[in-house]
């Protein structure tokens, strides 16, 4: 999934999209439940697993498609990097 990685102002953005599992749900896949998303951000050239940080996207409703979730990840990451998300920052990465 490296093709989904984007660089922005010296940071790598890794979208993380996964099937939604509502509280108390069975451990089976239900594509109709939609998707949740997070984004991992690290400096360009850093090890994302060791030197990055994951930020979960907080939406009331699940995304109805993986593509929409990825687009939201990228937009959220850019706002984070630009310092436009209250209470979240990447300045110490």
């Amino acid at each position: 999934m490296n093709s989904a990685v984007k660089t922005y102002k010296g940071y790598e953005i890794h979208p993380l999209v996964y099937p939604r599992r509502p509280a108390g749900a069975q451990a089976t896949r239900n594509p109709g439940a939609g998707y949740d998303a997070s984004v991992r951000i690290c400096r360009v050239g850093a090890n994302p697993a060791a030197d990055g940080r994951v930020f979960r996207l907080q939406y009331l409703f699940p995304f109805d498609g993986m593509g929409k979730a990825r687009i939201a990840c990228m937009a959220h990451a850019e706002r984070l990097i630009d310092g436009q998300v209250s209470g979240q920052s990447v300045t110490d990465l």
Side-chain angles (χ1 to χ4, degrees):
M1 188 186 269
N2 286 342
S3 63
V5 175
K6 176 182 176 181
T7 59
Y8 181 75
K9 294 186 177 179
Y11 292 91
E12 287 182 2
I13 301 169
H14 302 259
L16 307 170
V17 179
Y18 39 93
R20 183 176 190 109
R21 185 179 300 164
Q26 298 271 335
T28 59
R29 295 190 74 178
N30 178 6
Y35 298 90
D36 286 325
S38 298
V39 62
R40 182 184 305 270
I41 301 174
C42 66
R43 290 280 182 181
V44 171
N47 177 353
D51 301 321
R53 185 172 308 130
V54 175
F55 300 90
R56 184 170 179 155
L57 279 68
Q58 300 295 325
Y59 284 90
L60 296 177
F61 302 102
F63 295 98
D64 60 2
M66 291 185 78
K68 289 180 182 180
R70 282 191 190 105
I71 290 168
C73 285
M74 296 303 185
H76 184 72
E78 289 179 7
R79 287 194 315 274
L80 265 165
I81 293 166
D82 290 338
Q84 299 173 349
V85 178
S86 178
Q88 296 181 341
S89 175
V90 295
T91 57
D92 59 339
L93 291 178

